[in-house]
Amino acid sequence: MIQSGTFAYVETHETHENTLPRNHLWSLSRTVQFLCGIDFMLLLFNLVNSDGLFSGPPSSYSISDYITLVLFALPICGYIGARKYNRPFLCLYILFNIVEIGINIYEVNLSFQNGNSWVTFMCIFGIVIDVWIIELVYKLIIMIKRFNREEMHNFRNNWRPDGNTVWVLY
């Protein structure tokens, strides 16, 4: 049975300067996870709106069917890489964004030939977004390098910024 008492706010031995990079790494990781989810959903949406993946007999499969399968795996790798702070998986997500930039450049070329300014605008907007995502993922990779193995082990075991504060009942 708990008697009447008071709560005391107790902080761990970590200073603000020590937790700031950890909080930033955690936040950046969550942002990349969110962006990987969006990319996966957009790929899924494009698949639903297309003619279908591997439609028809096996002799009619195109190279784009196989590329689509590989592209589905790369945002998943990016999500796992951001969740587990795995640099090689994050590099695969950067590769995915580079491929998306190449596809958007190809589509800009086609839209110029067809005179479709809306598609041109959206493709250029997609290129800007992909470059921004590459910058974020690169920052995450660089930040992962700064932490030692013990700290990375803590991150991989679901470290949370709010886990540094302890409430004690006296």
Side-chain angles (χ1 to χ4, degrees), residues 3-150:
Q3 304 260 337
S4 63
T6 59
F7 282 100
Y9 176 76
V10 179
E11 284 191 25
T12 59
H13 63 282
E14 295 178 340
T15 62
H16 177 68
E17 294 82 22
N18 196 13
T19 59
L20 192 60
R22 289 180 181 181
N23 292 345
H24 186 63
L25 178 65
W26 184 83
S27 175
L28 198 54
S29 170
R30 296 298 179 238
T31 302
V32 171
Q33 289 177 37
F34 178 74
L35 293 172
C36 289
I38 290 175
D39 277 334
F40 183 80
M41 295 308 280
L42 288 175
L43 276 175
L44 194 61
F45 180 73
N46 284 337
L47 177 67
V48 169
N49 285 334
S50 69
D51 292 334
L53 188 63
F54 296 111
S55 58
S59 61
S60 68
Y61 296 164
S62 67
I63 189 72
S64 65
D65 291 334
Y66 297 108
I67 291 173
T68 303
L69 277 181
V70 171
L71 288 179
F72 266 109
L74 295 178
I76 295 170
C77 288
Y79 179 83
I80 293 170
R83 179 118 177 124
K84 296 296 181 184
Y85 302 94
N86 187 326
R87 289 182 303 182
F89 278 32
L90 290 170
C91 290
L92 288 174
Y93 186 55
I94 287 177
L95 175 67
F96 168 78
N97 284 292
I98 291 171
V99 169
E100 269 196 337
I101 289 172
I103 291 170
N104 281 333
I105 290 172
Y106 176 73
E107 288 180 2
V108 164
N109 185 24
L110 288 179
S111 65
F112 272 140
Q113 292 174 359
N114 296 336
N116 193 341
S117 60
W118 176 250
V119 173
T120 303
F121 171 76
M122 291 305 293
C123 289
I124 291 173
F125 183 70
I127 291 170
V128 170
I129 295 294
D130 286 333
V131 169
W132 175 71
I133 292 173
I134 289 172
E135 178 188 4
L136 285 177
V137 175
Y138 182 73
K139 283 181 184 178
L140 180 60
I141 291 170
I142 295 301
M143 286 189 73
I144 290 171
K145 285 183 180 181
R146 293 183 182 163
F147 290 95
N148 61 31
R149 287 184 186 202
E150 182 180 325

Side-chain angles (χ1 to χ4, degrees), residues 7-11 162 164-170:
F7 282 100
Y9 176 76
V10 179
E11 284 191 25
D162 55 348
N164 293 333
T165 303
V166 180
W167 291 94
V168 179
L169 176 62
Y170 283 69

